[in-house]
Amino acid sequence: QKEVEQNSGPLSVPEGAIASLNCTYSDRGSQSFFWYRQYSGKSPELIMSIYSNGDKEDGRFTAQLNKASQYVSLLIRDSQPSDSATYLCAGGPSTSGTYKYIFGTGTRLKVLA
Amino acid sequence: KAGVTQTPRYLIKTRGQQVTLSCSPISGHRSVSWYQQTPGQGLQFLFEYFSETQRNKGNFPGRFSGRQFSNSRSEMNVSTLELGDSALYLCASSLTPQGPNQPQHFGDGTRLSIL
């Protein structure tokens, strides 16, 4: 079973700090990785995608991918209370698996005002 | 551009009944995937459709089925409902399933409660 693992949290950070969310994956064939934000009672919203090793920045968000270590992370700079949500990491498609996307169970982030 | 539309938003059923959920993808998107989300299990993949054909299927019993129409709209059916089927059912669409770099966009989901 191909897996994507995340610490469930909650991860609490003060307003204005950097929040660091981490994700590991077991399928070396995974080609793309996505970060989704999900507010309570809402559907997941795509915030970042990353396909190559290294960093990708978009506004306050930076995604990092290390395929050798099978590790993906999301950094949120200048965290705001509105960033409080569950962040889902997803990997796929895979050259070796049958599923298109595999999701982690999410990390709950709490930004304290 | 309209997003992914799921209907109904809420549904209450009793054990043994069946239910059909509907999903209209973003215009131009031809791939539709269905997920079940529960607090304990997170997002679990049900199946994916492209060009009216099921391409992938998750580890769910045969009571869960789906189909896709020529306009890319998709329906999911669950028969003989069980209490454990209570969940948020999410539909996601993408342009195509081919190759990497195809992010999925989610609808608001259908919250199904089984009494």
Side-chain angles (χ1 to χ4, degrees):
Chain A
Q1 173 75 0
K2 310 298 183 182
E3 292 186 348
V4 172
E5 296 190 3
Q6 299 179 253
N7 188 316
S8 61
L11 171 67
S12 296
V13 299
E15 183 175 359
I18 296 175
S20 178
L21 304 164
N22 305 313
C23 167
T24 59
Y25 61 95
S26 61
D27 184 359
R28 287 192 173 274
S30 294
Q31 301 176 64
S32 310
F33 298 88
F34 307 92
W35 283 98
Y36 289 84
R37 177 177 61 200
Q38 186 173 26
Y39 292 113
S40 181
K42 301 294 186 181
S43 63
E45 172 193 10
L46 179 69
I47 54 172
M48 286 289 288
S49 57
I50 187 165
Y51 318 122
S52 305
N53 273 329
D55 296 359
K56 179 181 178 183
E57 187 175 318
D58 183 359
R60 296 187 297 113
F61 299 98
T62 298
Q64 299 174 317
L65 173 59
N66 184 324
K67 290 188 176 182
S69 300
Q70 296 177 242
Y71 179 90
V72 190
S73 65
L74 178 70
L75 301 178
I76 306 175
R77 289 181 299 281
D78 188 24
S79 295
Q80 301 297 310
S82 59
D83 294 326
S84 298
T86 296
Y87 289 79
L88 303 172
C89 172
S94 171
T95 58
S96 56
T98 58
Y99 301 144
K100 178 169 184 169
Y101 298 100
I102 298 177
F103 283 80
T105 53
T107 297
R108 192 156 61 96
L109 173 66
K110 296 175 70 173
V111 180
L112 308 173
Chain B
K1 197 176 201 182
V4 179
T5 303
Q6 290 188 246
T7 57
R9 290 293 313 279
Y10 302 93
L11 208 48
I12 299 175
K13 292 287 187 179
T14 58
R15 282 181 297 173
Q17 288 186 309
Q18 74 166 16
V19 66
T20 299
L21 312 181
S22 179
C23 171
S24 293
I26 292 172
S27 178
H29 284 196
R30 297 170 61 197
S31 175
V32 173
S33 297
W34 288 90
Y35 295 87
Q36 181 195 67
Q37 188 175 37
T38 57
Q41 297 295 318
L43 268 170
Q44 300 290 307
F45 174 77
L46 281 154
F47 26 66
E48 178 195 5
Y49 286 88
F50 176 71
S51 293
E52 302 177 65
T53 301
Q54 187 181 91
R55 292 186 71 248
N56 289 308
K57 190 177 190 305
N59 293 325
F60 278 82
R63 300 185 296 107
F64 292 81
S65 63
R67 59 178 174 168
Q68 186 181 35
F69 302 95
S70 58
N71 61 358
S72 296
R73 189 178 71 86
S74 177
E75 287 182 347
M76 189 189 90
N77 184 275
V78 188
S79 62
T80 319
L81 287 165
E82 301 176 359
L83 291 177
D85 297 334
S86 293
L88 179 66
Y89 289 88
L90 290 161
C91 167
S93 75
S94 58
L95 277 169
T96 74
Q98 302 296 331
N101 313 341
Q102 288 291 333
Q104 294 184 311
H105 300 270
F106 285 85
D108 287 336
T110 294
R111 186 162 295 281
L112 175 63
S113 298
I114 311 302
L115 303 179

